[in-house]
Amino acid sequence: MSTYPHVKFVTSAAEAHQLAPDIGREVAFAGRSNSGKSTAINAITQRSGLARVSRTPGRTQLINFFELFPERRLVDLPGYGFAKVPERVRLHWLALMQHYFNVRESLVGLVLIVDSRRGLGEQDVAMLEWVLARDREAHILLSKSDKINRSDGQRVLKETLAACADTAVSAQLFSALSKQGTLQARDVMDRWLGFERREAGSGRAGQA
Ligand code: GDP
């Protein structure tokens, strides 16, 4: 069963005026294309088909809203970092993201997916700056940690935390494949959304 048994797709926004109603609380997920964002969303919500793994062109520029509970949303922001994206598409993405981060009152935190083999990129840092500018928190998932050894994992975690020192940014290693860090990631999200675990380790959440 899903940790969020009532999770459902709400709407997609391709334009600023199509965002879901700005009420309650929401957590946004962002990351480069292929960072493992969709896989992470599916692992954290325990819903294999919720976010689409491996992109299709039509969906890359959409903000997808999912409801976990009434007035509690997970927001899948469009991936970035495609080498071959036309300038027009990139500028649209930029405008949509800036609008989202500027106006969204219900946004409580950003989960940033960063491939643990790549580390933080320029665009990742821009996402963090946008969310910190609004006094919101951010949490970095260093994804696909099953692909690196333990000491490289500790090194990239240390470097990432050092790069984010003195900010409201936390980080952890994460693997949807080995399940490393899924509970930790869920706990961060639940805390931001105001949920409390009913039973420790059971993977179920209740509204606080
Ligand atoms: P997105 O474009 O950021 O949404 O990335 P996807 O979730 O579609 O993942 C991109 C690729 O990375 C896919 O081939 C996934 O199967 C793979 N992937 C995602 N997460 C993991 C992981 O934890 N471990 C491994 N080994 N591969 C992963």
Side-chain angles (χ1 to χ4, degrees):
M1 186 162 99
S2 170
T3 314
Y4 309 100
H6 309 295
V7 60
K8 61 176 187 208
F9 172 76
V10 182
T11 191
S12 288
E15 304 290 342
H17 65 90
Q18 295 169 332
L19 302 180
D22 197 1
I23 47 171
R25 297 187 194 187
E26 67 189 26
V27 170
F29 279 63
R32 279 180 71 94
S33 300
N34 215 39
S35 63
K37 173 166 59 72
S38 309
T39 308
I41 290 172
N42 293 340
I44 289 169
T45 58
Q46 293 174 298
R47 278 295 193 90
S48 54
L50 197 65
R52 248 191 242 177
V53 174
S54 82
R55 63 249 169 225
T56 41
R59 279 175 76 110
T60 56
Q61 293 293 311
L62 296 178
I63 300 180
N64 290 308
F65 291 86
F66 300 95
E67 187 179 274
L68 302 170
F69 286 96
E71 298 192 5
R72 296 290 184 275
R73 290 175 303 279
L74 185 161
V75 184
D76 184 7
L77 298 175
Y80 45 83
F82 260 128
K84 291 186 190 117
V85 156
E87 187 64 0
R88 168 185 59 79
V89 174
R90 205 188 61 77
L91 289 176
H92 179 262
W93 175 87
L94 189 64
L96 189 59
M97 288 301 94
Q98 282 179 330
H99 176 80
Y100 176 81
F101 284 107
N102 278 334
V103 304
R104 217 55 190 164
E105 290 300 327
S106 54
L107 177 68
V108 286
L110 174 75
V111 177
L112 185 68
I113 320 299
V114 175
D115 191 319
S116 57
R117 297 164 301 174
R118 297 183 72 115
L120 278 175
E122 219 174 283
Q123 202 65 71
D124 300 319
V125 172
M127 304 297 287
L128 292 175
E129 284 171 352
W130 286 337
V131 78
L132 292 176
R134 293 288 313 279
D135 285 328
R136 296 332 200 248
E137 290 179 74
H139 186 66
I140 300 172
L141 301 185
L142 294 162
S143 66
K144 310 187 194 182
S145 63
D146 56 281
K147 290 195 179 245
I148 55 173
N149 64 35
R150 193 183 288 257
S151 66
D152 283 343
Q154 289 310 315
R155 181 186 47 76
V156 71
L157 179 60
K158 211 171 144 188
E159 284 170 5
T160 307
L161 289 170
C164 301
D166 303 321
T167 66
V169 181
S170 50
Q172 64 161 104
L173 291 164
F174 182 88
S175 166
L177 199 77
S178 74
K179 304 272 181 276
Q180 181 184 18
T182 41
L183 281 179
Q184 190 184 345
R186 209 175 283 144
D187 280 347
V188 170
M189 201 168 94
D190 286 351
R191 179 167 55 80
W192 286 348
L193 291 170
F195 297 146
E196 260 173 17
R197 297 241 156 244
R198 285 197 208 108
E199 305 153 64
S202 72
R204 297 195 63 186
Q207 214 159 338

